[in-house]
C-alpha cells in the first residue's frame, strides 16, 4: 500500500449526531473534507469517537442535496428553481397575504434539534417578533418534553444534573430505558470503563441490550420489564427504599420538602407497590427489584441515566418524576458521581429545549405571559410581543385542518413523517396556503410545501450546540455552504424580507443576544468557548466558565428545596389482548441514526441494511417462524412487513424493532397515545400481532427510489 | 482521578496518561520538573521539554512497554529502563539522550525496518515515520530479503478503514485502544514471535468481526497500518452511498 495523503488543514467542531456532542477535528485537503478525527481536548469525548461522527459524514455531499431554492404556486406543480431573493420575497409576500386575510395568528414556525442554538433562537424570534405571535414549537415535543416537565417539578431543572465524566466517580450506575452502547456510544464507552473499574450496573429495559452484557461488562441486575410498566417498577423500587428505610433521611430533611416526602412515602410504601405485587405484573423476579433498590440506595454514589424508554409513554412525565423522587430520597444529587441524567438523542435537543422554541416560554423557560420577561425581549427586539401563549405543533396542525391556520415556516423538521397520525398531518399540510420548508433534502413534508430553502449541514456553518450534559460547544464552518447561505443567514434574510430590520455580522452576535436575554447563557460567547473549549450552563457571573454539577447546596426552585411528586401507576390504555397478543417496543442501533436521513446516505448501511423484528423463540415457534421469514406486524393503528429474527434479547410476549428505514414503517404501527402532561407520543408500547407472510410485493420493497422522497426525518427525535 | 481524560492535550502526546497524584520532583537531562505521583518518566520528560521517542506508548492508553524505543538511563539503576513503564520517584535523575541510548534506539528502530517496506519510507507521515526522521534514520540496513509480512493481504473489508499487515509493527496499540478506550475487545494479537499478528475477533475480517468501527484503533495506530480509506486518492473511493 502506498502512504496516505496528509490533510492540509483542520477545524475543531462538534459532531451533529447524538446528544454526546463529541469534539472533532474536520481535516481537509484541497478544500475537501478527507477525515474527521476525534478531538483530544473535547470535554465530552476526550479523543474518542463512534462510527457515526468519525466516518459517516459524507451525507452532506450526497447527490440529492438540494443546492438551490425552489418554489411552486401549488403542491401539484413541479418545483421551480429560483434565486434566493426570489424565494425570500415570495415567502414574505405569502406570509403577509395570509396574515392580512386570516389574521396574525394564522401562521407559525417549527424548529429542530438538528439546528444550532442560534438558528433555534432566530426561528422563535421570527415567530414572535416578525410574525407577531407565539406559534412556535420544536421536535423535543416528541422525545424529551417529559424530561423538562418531570425534572422541573422534582429537582427544579429539566436537564442533566452532571457532566459525563462524573460517572467515573459513581459506584452504582442505573440505566433506565436507554442503551448507551448503541445510542450514545462514546458515553457508553466511558460507562463501560467505569463498570470495568468495579462499579455496579443496574439496567431497567424490556430488552437484553448490549448495555446489559458485553465484553467485561455485565449488569448486576437486569429488570427486563414488560413494556409500559416503568412507573410500576420504579414505584416498587421506591417501595423497598421506604419499607427498608434505605432513604437518606439527613438529605431529605436538609434539602427537600419534608411534607411531600411523607406523602410520597405513604404512596410508594403502600402494599400495592410491594415487589411481590409488581414483580408478576412487570414480568420480573421480586427479589431482583429488592436487589436493585438495595444496590441503588447503597451507593455510596449512585447515578441514574435514562432515555426515551422512560419518556415516550403515556406516563412518560410520571416516569421521569419517579427518577427525580428516587434521586432525592436516597440523596443522590448535588455532588460528583451521582445525579439524574437524561441521555438526549439529537445533538442539540437540550438547546432546542432551552432556547425558547416553545409556544408558552421564552429562552430559559420563562413564560410569555410574564410582563417583566416579555418587556426585556420587547426592549431588545424593538417590537410589542404577544402575551398569549401560542399553539403547540399538534394544535397548529389541528387548526390547519379546521381552516384557521394557513402558513408555516419549518426549519429542519419533517412533521409528515415524524408526528403521530400521518393522515391528519397530511390533511393539515394540504389545507395550508404556504408551507416553507428549510432542510438539506426533500422529504415527506416537502411534498406539501410551496417553498424550499436549501439549508446548510453542520460542516457548512458557524454556531453552537448544547449537548446532553448542558455543554455548549462550537460548530465551526469547515467548507462553504453548498447552497450558498448558512442556515442562520437564511432565517435572518427571511426576517428582512418580511420587513423586520435586523443584521448580524456572524452567529456569535446571535449568541450574544441569547446571552443578554437568557440567564443560564449569560456568560456564554464565542470568545469564551474559543478560550475554554466548551462551557456547561448555567454560565454567569457566579460561574464564569460554566457549571459542571447542578444542585449543590440547593435546587433551582423558589424555596430551594427538592419536591417529591406523587407517582401513582396508571397502566397505559394500550394493552395486549387475544387479537394483539404481543407488545412491540422500538429502539436504535449503533450504525444508523434515527430514520437514517444522514446515515443511510453513507456506507453505514452495510451494517444495518434493513430493520428486522426481534422475536423470542417461544413466540416464533408458536407462529412457525424462523429467522429471515417475512412477517406482517399489525396493530390497532396500522401494519407493516419486515423480516423476523429469532432473538434471546427479548422475552416471550415482547417484540422489538428499530426504525431506521423508511420501508419498514415501524411508526405506522405505533400507538397514537401520548404523555398525559406533554403530548410526547407513546412510541414505546404497542400491542401487536405477528404472522408469517410471503413478503411484500416486489415493487414495494424498494427503498429511497427517487432522490429524497423516502428520506424521512426522525419519528423519535431524541 | 480524571486527569487521564481531562489532562489530555490536542497537540502533545505525553506518552502515558496524565495522573492526579501528589507532586514529585525529578531531573530530566538536568531540567527540573514536577509531576503528579504515578506519572511515568516518559510523561515527566515530555513535560520537561525532553520528549523521549516512542512507538507503543500514547497518552490515551496505559503503558505497555513493548517497543523498547523509549529507553532511558536513570542514575543509580542498572540497564536501560523503558521510560513509559517506569514511574517517577522523588529526586530521580534521568538521562534521555546519551550516545549509548542513541545507538540502542537506532538498533531497535532498524530492526523494525527489517519488516517494513523500504518503498514506503520516504513520503510517510505516521508516528513511525516521524520517529525515524527525528532519530536520523533514513536507510533500511537489512534490505528487503529477509523474512517479512510484505505480501500479507490487506483487509479492506471495512468501508471506512483498511488494515495493511505489511506496515504493522505489532505494538498492540490497536488492541489496547479497542479494550481500554472503546471497551469492545474486538482485536487481539494471535501467534507468537515473528508469527504474531493483529487479528479481529476469531481471525475474521474487520467487517465480519465484533468491531464497531469507532475508529479508536485507526486513531492510535503509529504506522498507518490501520488507516482511513478516505486519505487515499483513486484506489479507495470514499463514502459511496450504500442506498438511494
Amino acid at each position: 500500500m502506498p502512504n496516505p495523503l496528509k490533510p492540509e488543514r483542520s477545524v475543531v467542531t462538534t459532531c451533529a449526531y447524538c446528544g454526546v456532542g463529541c469534539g472533532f477535528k474536520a481535516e481537509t485537503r484541497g478544500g475537501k473534507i478527507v477525515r474527521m478525527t476525534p478531538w483530544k481536548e473535547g470535554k465530552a469525548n476526550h479523543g474518542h469517537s463512534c462510527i457515526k461522527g468519525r466516518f459517516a459524514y459524507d451525507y452532506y455531499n450526497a447527490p440529492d442535496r438540494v443546492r438551490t431554492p425552489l418554489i411552486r404556486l401549488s403542491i401539484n406543480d413541479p418545483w421551480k428553481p429560483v434565486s434566493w431573493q426570489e424565494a425570500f420575497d415570495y415567502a414574505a409576500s405569502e406570509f403577509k397575504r395570509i396574515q392580512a386575510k386570516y389574521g396574525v395568528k394564522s401562521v407559525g414556525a417549527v424548529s429542530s434539534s438538528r439546528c444550532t442554538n442560534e438558528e433555534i433562537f432566530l426561528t422563535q424570534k421570527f415567530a414572535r417578533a416578525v410574525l407577531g405571535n407565539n406559534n412556535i414549537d420544536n421536535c423535543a415535543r416528541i422525545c424529551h418534553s417529559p424530561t423538562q416537565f418531570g425534572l422541573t417539578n422534582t429537582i427544579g431543572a429539566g436537564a442533566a444534573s452532571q457532566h459525563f465524566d462524573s460517572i467515573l466517580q459513581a459506584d452504582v450506575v442505573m440505566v433506565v430505558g436507554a442503551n448507551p452502547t448503541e445510542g450514545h456510544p462514546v458515553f457508553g464507552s466511558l460507562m463501560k470503563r467505569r463498570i470495568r473499574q468495579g462499579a455496579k450496573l443496574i439496567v431497567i429495559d424490556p430488552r437484553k441490550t448490549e448495555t446489559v452484557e458485553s465484553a467485561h461488562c455485565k449488569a448486576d441486575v437486569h429488570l427486563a420489564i414488560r413494556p409500559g410498566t416503568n412507573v410500576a417498577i420504579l414505584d416498587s423500587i421506591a417501595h423497598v427504599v421506604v419499607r427498608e428505610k434505605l432513604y437518606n433521611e439527613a438529605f431529605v430533611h436538609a434539602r427537600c420538602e419534608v411534607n411531600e416526602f411523607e406523602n410520597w412515602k405513604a404512596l410508594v410504601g403502600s402494599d400495592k407497590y410491594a415487589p411481590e405485587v409488581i414483580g408478576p405484573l412487570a414480568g420480573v423476579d421480586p427479589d431482583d427489584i429488592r436487589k436493585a433498590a438495595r444496590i441503588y440506595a447503597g451507593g455510596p454514589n449512585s447515578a441514574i441515566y435514562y432515555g426515551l424508554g422512560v419518556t415516550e409513554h403515556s406516563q412518560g412525565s410520571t416516569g421521569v418524576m419517579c427518577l427525580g423522587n428516587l434521586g432525592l430520597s436516597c440523596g443522590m444529587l448535588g455532588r460528583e458521581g451521582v445525579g439524574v441524567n437524561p441521555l438526549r438523542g439529537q445533538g442539540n435537543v437540550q438547546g432546542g429545549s432551552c432556547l425558547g422554541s416553545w409556544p408558552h416560554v421564552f429562552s430559559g423557560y420563562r413564560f410569555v405571559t410574564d410582563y417583566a420577561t416579555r418587556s426585556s425581549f420587547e426592549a431588545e427586539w424593538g417590537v410589542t410581543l404577544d402575551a398569549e401563549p401560542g399553539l403547540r405543533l399538534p394544535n397548529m396542525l389541528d387548526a390547519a385542518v379546521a381552516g384557521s391556520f394557513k402558513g408555516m415556516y419549518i426549519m429542519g423538521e419533517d412533521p409528515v413523517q415524524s408526528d403521530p397520525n400521518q393522515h391528519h398531518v397530511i390533511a393539515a399540510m394540504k389545507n395550508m396556503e404556504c408551507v416553507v420548508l428549510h432542510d438539506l433534502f426533500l422529504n415527506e413534508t416537502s411534498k406539501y410545501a410551496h417553498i424550499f430553502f436549501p439549508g446548510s449541514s453542520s460542516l457548512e456553518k458557524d454556531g453552537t450546540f448544547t449537548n446532553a450534559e448542558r455543554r455548549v460547544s462550537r460548530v465551526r464552518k469547515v467548507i462553504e455552504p453548498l447552497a450558498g447561505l448558512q442556515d442562520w443567514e437564511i432565517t435572518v434574510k427571511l426576517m428582512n424580507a418580511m420587513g423586520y430590520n435586523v443584521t448580524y455580522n456572524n452567529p456569535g452576535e446571535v449568541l450574544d443576544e441569547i446571552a443578554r436575554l437568557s440567564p443560564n447563557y449569560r456568560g456564554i460567547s464565542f470568545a469564551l468557548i474559543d478560550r475554554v473549549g466548551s462551557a456547561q450552563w448555567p454560565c454567569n457571573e457566579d460561574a464564569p466558565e460554566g457549571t459542571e454539577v447542578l444542585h449543590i447546596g440547593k435546587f433551582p426552585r423558589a424555596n430551594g428545596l427538592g419536591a417529591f411528586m406523587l407517582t401513582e401507576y396508571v397502566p397505559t390504555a394500550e394493552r395486549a389482548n387475544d387479537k394483539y397478543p404481543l407488545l412491540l417496543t422500538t429502539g436504535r442501533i449503533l450504525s444508523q441514526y434515527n430514520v437514517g436521513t444522514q446515515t443511510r446516505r453513507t456506507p453505514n448501511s452495510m451494517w444495518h441494511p434493513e430493520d428486522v423484528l426481534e422475536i423470542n423463540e417461544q413466540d416464533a415457534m408458536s407462529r412457525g417462524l424462523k429467522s429471515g421469514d417475512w412477517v406482517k406486524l399489525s396493530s390497532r393503528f396500522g401494519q407493516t412487513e419486515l423480516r423476523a429474527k429469532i432473538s434471546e434479547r427479548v422475552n416471550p410476549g415482547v417484540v422489538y424493532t428499530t426504525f431506521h428505514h423508511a420501508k419498514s414503517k415501524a411508526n405506522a404501527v405505533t400507538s397514537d397515545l401520548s404523555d398525559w402532561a406533554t403530548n410526547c407520543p407513546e412510541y414505546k408500547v404497542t400491542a401487536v400481532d405477528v404472522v408469517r407472510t410471503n413478503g411484500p410485493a416486489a415493487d414495494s420493497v424498494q427503498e429511497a427510489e427517487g432522490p429524497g422522497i423516502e428520506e424521512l426525518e426522525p419519528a423519535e427525535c431524541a | 482521578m480524571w486527569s487521564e481524560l481531562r489532562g489530555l492535550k490536542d497537540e502533545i502526546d505525553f506518552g502515558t496518561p496524565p495522573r492526579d497524584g501528589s507532586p514529585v520532583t525529578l531531573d530530566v537531562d538536568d531540567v527540573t520538573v514536577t509531576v503528579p505521583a504515578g506519572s511515568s518518566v516518559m510523561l515527566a520528560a515530555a513535560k520537561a521539554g525532553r520528549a523521549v521517542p516512542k512507538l507503543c506508548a500514547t497518552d490515551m492508553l496505559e503503558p505497555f512497554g513493548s517497543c523498547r524505543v523509549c529507553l532511558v538511563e536513570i542514575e543509580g539503576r542498572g540497564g536501560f529502563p523503558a521510560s513509559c513503564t517506569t514511574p517517577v520517584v522523588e529526586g530521580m535523575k534521568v538521562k534521555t539522550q546519551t550516545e549509548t541510548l542513541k545507538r540502542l534506539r537506532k538498533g531497535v528502530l532498524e530492526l523494525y525496518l527489517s519488516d517494513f517496506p523500504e518503498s514506503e519510507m520516504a513520503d510517510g507521515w505516521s508516528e513511525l515515520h516521524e520517529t525515524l526522521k527525528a532519530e536520523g534514520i533514513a536507510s533500511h540496513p537489512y534490505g528487503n530479503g529477509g523474512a517479512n509480512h510484505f505480501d500479507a493481504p490487506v483487509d479492506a473489508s471495512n468501508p471506512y478503514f483498511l488494515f495493511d499487515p505489511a506496515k504493522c509493527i505489532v505494538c498492540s496499540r490497536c488492541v489496547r485502544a479497542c479494550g481500554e478506550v472503546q471497551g469492545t475487545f474486538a482485536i487481539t494479537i494471535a501467534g507468537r514471535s515473528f508469527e504474531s499478528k493483529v487479528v479481529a475477533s476469531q481471525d475474521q475480517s474487520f467487517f465480519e468481526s465484533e468491531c464497531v468501527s469507532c475508529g479508536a484503533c485507526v486513531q492510535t495506530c503509529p504506522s498507518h497500518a490501520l488507516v482511513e480509506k478516505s486519505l487515499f486518492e483513486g484506489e479507495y473511493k470514499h463514502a459511496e452511498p450504500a442506498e438511494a
Side-chain angles (χ1 to χ4, degrees), chain B residues 168-242:
Chain B
C168 176
I169 60 168
V170 203
C171 65
S172 294
R173 272 168 71 166
C174 54
V175 177
R176 290 179 285 143
C178 192
E180 292 176 30
V181 177
Q182 164 59 26
T184 294
F185 299 87
I187 313 178
T188 189
I189 304 290
R192 305 292 298 265
S193 184
F194 184 78
E195 303 301 322
S196 60
K197 59 172 186 175
V198 166
V199 303
S201 292
Q202 305 297 311
D203 206 356
Q204 292 163 294
S205 74
F206 270 89
F207 184 74
E208 291 164 326
S209 74
E210 293 151 293
C211 165
V212 294
S213 290
C214 70
C217 58
V218 181
Q219 186 69 7
T220 200
C221 178
S223 61
H224 283 159
L226 281 158
V227 64
E228 295 90 350
K229 289 182 176 178
S230 57
L231 295 180
F232 295 87
E233 254 168 24
E235 194 164 348
Y236 288 101
K237 195 160 177 282
H238 181 59
E240 188 67 31

Side-chain angles (χ1 to χ4, degrees), chain A residues 119 346 353 617 626:
Chain A
E119 292 150 17
Q346 296 200 62
S353 205
E617 185 156 28
K626 56 186 191 305

